[in-house]
Amino acid sequence: MARPNKRTTLREVAEATGLSTAAVSYALRGKHVSKETEERVRKAAAELGYEADPIARALASGRTSTVGVLAGDLQDLWQQQLMAAIGRELLAGDRYALILDAGGDPERELALAKQLRDQRVDGLLVSPVDPSAEGWAKIAEAVPVVSIGDALSQARTAGEVLFDNRAGIDAVLDYLRGLGHRRVTVLTPTGPSTPDRPADVYVREAADRLGIEVQVVPCAQELGEATGVARRVLTNSPAGRRRSGPAALAPPTAVFCFSDSIAYGVYAAAAEAELAVGRDVSVVGFDDHPVSRVLTPPLTTVDWGLTEIAKEAARLAVAAIEGRRVRRKRILCAPRLSERGSALRAPGGV
């Protein structure tokens, strides 16, 4: 039976170059040696087939070059896009994203966060399902945590890239009211176990301020489930409804979806009911996924600047891992409403 090829060691590279193992290690990392020495060591390492042992490197440095990235729910297409962008940003700095999916379950989210901590990831980026959970405090004590979207109210994080949800919700509801809409249903991925997420609270506040009727309805982000909820909403079925305001006597004239993935379910349900989006019911999304631009009609939605979110989140995480101080640990992302064809003046609206 053939013996496996023996891994070339750092000592062998050192012997081939006449340098110490420490000097070779520095040269391979591009630190504390001349350019000439670095090139000589890299050439010898390539000829000998040397590859750094990741386990030995982790033991020596106390780092694994792995960053945990915990998604709230990867059934949301925008979150898929965000996690991929974060992974690319980390990889550009020779760090590797270990992406896990909480599936919208706050208990699963904390369990996965603890697992990532126990696997000694260098840092943790999280788009939280339950930002107010007490369990985040201990996790943030053990590993640098950067939150995306909502702040972790019970934890001292290494950084935050937050959405200005209040401004986004105000912009959408002001816009719909200006089009004459007075009955609006809000479809939110928030479940019964996390009833007071900031965005849901802001909806109720904005509805009271604007004097419009708002129904807040929990809705999964998977297309089939979102379509089922939207089907009931468009026919004004009470199943699954959570009220926030006076009871509506008729279906809503507008549906505001807290993710574009949910809005796609509204499009599907409207087509089943032979309703025209934009004419018979207005629909607005909340994250500007690329698919939203090619729908018929294109979806009016809110753009949060995904590329910049990924870049800032990765930057804060890497700075915390390396122990570098940063000027701003809290980044607030401003919303930009992209008006398209899915939201028009309400029938009879003024």
Side-chain angles (χ1 to χ4, degrees):
M1 181 171 158
R3 294 178 62 188
N5 292 332
K6 181 175 174 288
R7 180 188 288 271
T8 300
T9 67
L10 196 69
R11 183 178 296 279
E12 288 172 313
V13 179
E15 290 172 354
T17 57
L19 298 169
S20 67
T21 54
V24 168
S25 177
Y26 283 134
L28 291 172
R29 288 181 288 158
K31 295 181 177 181
H32 311 307
V33 296
S34 68
K35 193 68 178 175
E36 180 185 352
T37 299
E38 181 182 337
E39 290 175 358
R40 179 159 62 95
V41 169
R42 289 186 182 278
K43 181 180 178 182
E47 290 173 351
L48 292 170
Y50 172 77
E51 292 181 357
D53 184 339
I55 296 175
R57 184 169 55 190
L59 289 170
S61 66
R63 297 177 185 167
T64 63
S65 295
T66 302
V67 178
V69 183
L70 183 50
D73 190 349
L74 284 179
Q75 290 191 107
D76 176 12
L77 299 177
W78 188 85
Q79 283 199 44
Q80 292 180 18
Q81 188 184 14
L82 176 63
M83 297 302 121
I86 290 171
R88 289 192 295 270
E89 289 291 333
L90 292 170
L91 188 59
D94 292 327
R95 287 180 170 81
Y96 305 94
L98 178 55
I99 300 173
L100 298 180
D101 178 19
D105 183 340
E107 291 186 5
R108 178 180 174 184
E109 176 177 66
L110 281 178
L112 290 175
K114 291 173 184 175
Q115 182 178 337
L116 288 167
R117 175 201 62 193
D118 294 345
Q119 288 182 236
R120 306 289 181 127
V121 293
D122 296 335
L124 174 61
L125 289 148
V126 59
S127 175
V129 176
D130 186 1
S132 61
E134 294 182 1
W136 290 118
K138 286 188 177 180
I139 292 168
E141 288 174 2
V143 62
V145 175
V146 173
S147 64
I148 302 171
D150 290 317
L152 303 180
S153 59
Q154 303 295 321
R156 187 173 182 178
T157 56
E160 300 171 333
V161 183
L162 308 180
F163 305 155
D164 191 345
N165 281 312
R166 188 187 298 276
I169 288 163
D170 282 349
V172 171
L173 292 182
D174 275 333
Y175 174 69
L176 290 174
R177 189 180 187 282
L179 291 173
H181 295 280
R182 299 295 183 270
R183 295 190 310 277
V184 179
T185 292
V186 174
L187 298 184
T188 172
T190 299
S193 56
T194 55
D196 294 314
R197 285 175 62 91
D200 294 29
V201 174
Y202 298 154
V203 162
R204 292 188 279 272
E205 292 176 357
D208 290 342
R209 176 176 59 81
L210 295 168
I212 60 178
E213 296 178 5
V214 169
Q215 303 285 347
V216 181
V217 179
C219 183
Q221 304 195 77
E222 190 273 326
L223 180 59
E225 293 181 65
T227 302
V229 172
R231 188 183 297 124
R232 294 192 292 271
V233 164
L234 295 178
T235 57
N236 202 33
S237 167
R241 181 181 301 148
R242 183 168 77 234
R243 281 202 179 87
S244 175
L249 299 177
T253 61
V255 182
F256 175 18
C257 305
F258 273 2
S259 77
D260 286 15
S261 292
I262 292 175
Y264 304 155
V266 180
Y267 271 67
E272 289 178 5
E274 297 184 348
L275 299 172
V277 171
R279 184 192 68 199
D280 300 316
V281 60
S282 288
V283 184
V284 179
F286 210 48
D287 49 41
D288 200 16
H289 188 273
V291 169
S292 300
R293 302 165 205 167
V294 299
L295 298 177
T296 304
L299 178 66
T300 293
T301 186
V302 175
D303 180 5
W304 294 100
L306 180 143
T307 301
E308 197 63 23
I309 291 168
K311 188 175 298 184
E312 291 290 353
R315 178 184 67 83
L316 288 170
V318 170
I321 290 166
E322 295 180 348
R324 290 188 283 108
R325 298 185 67 177
V326 294
R327 187 171 58 86
R328 292 171 60 209
K329 289 187 176 182
R330 185 176 186 269
I331 310 297
L332 189 62
C333 303
R336 184 177 66 84
L337 184 64
S338 298
E339 298 181 40
R340 297 180 181 134
S342 67
L344 299 177
R345 185 161 293 279
V350 294

